Amino acid sequence: MTREACRANGFFGSTSGAAPSYLQANVIVLPSKYADDFRALCARNPVPCPLIAESRTTGDFASLRSLLSGVADDAVAGSLDLRTDCPSYNVYQDGRLVLHETPDISAQWTDDHVAFLIGCSYSFESALVRAGLPPRHMQMGRNVPMYRTNIPLNPAGAFSGGTYVVSMRPYRAADIDKIRTITRRYLPTHGECIAWGWDAVARLGIADISSPQWGDAPLTVDGRPLRDVFRDEDNVPVFWGCGVTPQEAVMRANLSGTIMSHAPGHMLVLDCLEDNVLP
Amino acid sequence: MTREACRANGFFGSTSGAAPSYLQANVIVLPSKYADDFRALCARNPVPCPLIAESRTTGDFASLRSLLSGVADDAVAGSLDLRTDCPSYNVYQDGRLVLHETPDISAQWTDDHVAFLIGCSYSFESALVRAGLPPRHMQMGRNVPMYRTNIPLNPAGAFSGGTYVVSMRPYRAADIDKIRTITRRYLPTHGECIAWGWDAVARLGIADISSPQWGDAPLTVDGRPLRDVFRDEDNVPVFWGCGVTPQEAVMRANLSGTIMSHAPGHMLVLDCLEDNVLP
């Protein structure tokens, strides 16, 4: 329904909270010459770059090859047009952003393009909500903060020199074991947190926890910047791999040709339920 | 043949160079309570921890479940006894080494143990030899140098706080693109190098390139320590993920019970050819 509304240009917003419990995906569209290296990048970095599906063949915008074990190709997304089914897209030409938040990439799509779908953290967030541990940003109606880190990606051909992008949700120190356990099973959608604790901020190379590179600055429950409660055990930063990672890796690779992606937050909503894609 | 010679206690040596072109594996045997977390550790860190097979069921030392796509269970290793088929083993009790290089772990194996087989870099080394780019340590009859790094593993349950162990082979700067391309396809056996260049030494947190934590110190072709040719373009360090990584992660996890592994260099030789396991 969300996908069809997007196609008809009747839905332009963020897909956070749209179609709850359905899996959503980051979308990256590349010229076919980069497809093998991108597949290897994802295979070698499954935590920040969980590849869940791709165009069934080069140029195919209407059908997918599922990479989720136990999920058939058709079950990922039945009626599909990858050129219109995200609320909006960004288009890059030779590394430069040339179209910002356009609802339709039919004019840019060629029969040499391959679309890749990357899992997103909305799935494990639902699980945290169900467990009575809702992420702070959701409670406060804000976007999750995301940060560049110094953790290197395993390079793959054209994609070298990238680092992890992480999302962060503050939790009470006493809840972190539970948080780790709840998110662990979400292997195809970033899974267990990759780091936690105030010490992790510097270790990941994050200069200021209150200045994320994407999303909104994290706050305490009474609205103060998180940096003001440094070392507070009720506001411990917990970090997960983030689907912005492969986008960043693509942008850093200085690729030639036309690259397209969903606009941040404007994901592709899929037909499969979040809990049906768990191993 | 090598496996049967090990079983009959007629072969005790390093398996480097034994049964050329056959896949070899690192072996780790854990109590079943740690099996799910160890599987997740490997799934989340496939470059340093490429899980290629495991005991078909808990307690099973005679048959495997293949995790190599396109390779049947029986094709990994037909006639098999995981308790005797490595040339030698180490045995740990509650984190302490209690048996060093024993040829047989039948007395320690219980029906609660699960064996995990991890890919090893011998496969891509054969490919480098075939391409006329033999690794320096092979030319000089030495062991490959291995180093602890500061690159964090993606944690998984009981296994948190681990870092990559890397192997290193010096090459001419001009050959590195070729080296990357040759090793890229060996996805299930560490694959493409993860870092290269003299700058990478400090970046990986390696204090002294001539003091590896495992293996032999790397040398120039005329026998000098590699640190003496710092920044030399004919001796550029190239680093790969190393199968010692999961062993280190297991040792750091302070597990209770009996843990067993092959003794370093004394791998399990499998029935499948290296080139048959490539995607």
Side-chain angles (χ1 to χ4, degrees), chain A residues 206-277:
Chain A
I206 295 171
D208 177 4
I209 197 69
S210 288
S211 301
Q213 276 77 50
W214 298 269
D216 294 328
L219 301 176
T220 63
V221 282
D222 53 356
R224 285 177 296 157
L226 205 68
R227 78 161 82 82
D228 289 5
V229 292
F230 184 63
R231 297 228 167 269
D232 184 315
E233 292 290 286
D234 288 338
N235 289 277
V236 178
V238 181
F239 299 95
W240 280 265
C242 174
V244 173
T245 307
Q247 280 198 36
E248 270 276 286
V250 166
M251 291 310 133
R252 281 193 191 193
N254 289 316
L255 308 183
S256 59
T258 305
I259 314 282
M260 297 165 273
S261 72
H262 72 285
H266 297 69
M267 307 283 189
L268 183 71
V269 178
L270 304 178
D271 291 350
C272 43
L273 292 169
E274 289 161 349
D275 281 352
N276 289 353
V277 304

Side-chain angles (χ1 to χ4, degrees), chain A residues 70-88:
Chain A
V71 179
D73 294 345
D74 284 355
V76 178
S79 160
L80 179 75
D81 189 331
L82 288 163
R83 306 167 305 175
T84 55
D85 286 0
C86 292
S88 73

Side-chain angles (χ1 to χ4, degrees), chain B residues 221-234:
Chain B
V221 282
D222 52 358
R224 284 177 298 158
L226 206 68
R227 79 160 80 83
D228 289 5
V229 293
F230 184 63
R231 297 228 166 270
D232 184 316
E233 292 290 285
D234 288 339

Side-chain angles (χ1 to χ4, degrees), chain A residues 16-73:
Chain A
S16 175
S21 81
Y22 283 90
L23 199 63
Q24 300 197 13
N26 302 272
V27 178
I28 295 177
V29 183
L30 299 174
S32 63
K33 64 183 166 185
Y34 300 119
D36 279 344
D37 286 352
F38 189 77
R39 280 180 202 113
L41 179 77
C42 295
R44 285 161 64 82
N45 301 281
V47 171
C49 312
L51 188 57
I52 59 177
E54 58 172 88
S55 294
R56 195 184 315 239
T57 55
T58 299
D60 192 344
F61 51 78
S63 57
L64 294 172
R65 193 156 62 85
S66 169
L67 302 166
L68 290 164
S69 77
V71 179
D73 294 345

Side-chain angles (χ1 to χ4, degrees), chain B residues 37 63 205 220 252:
Chain B
D37 286 352
S63 57
T220 64
R252 280 193 192 194

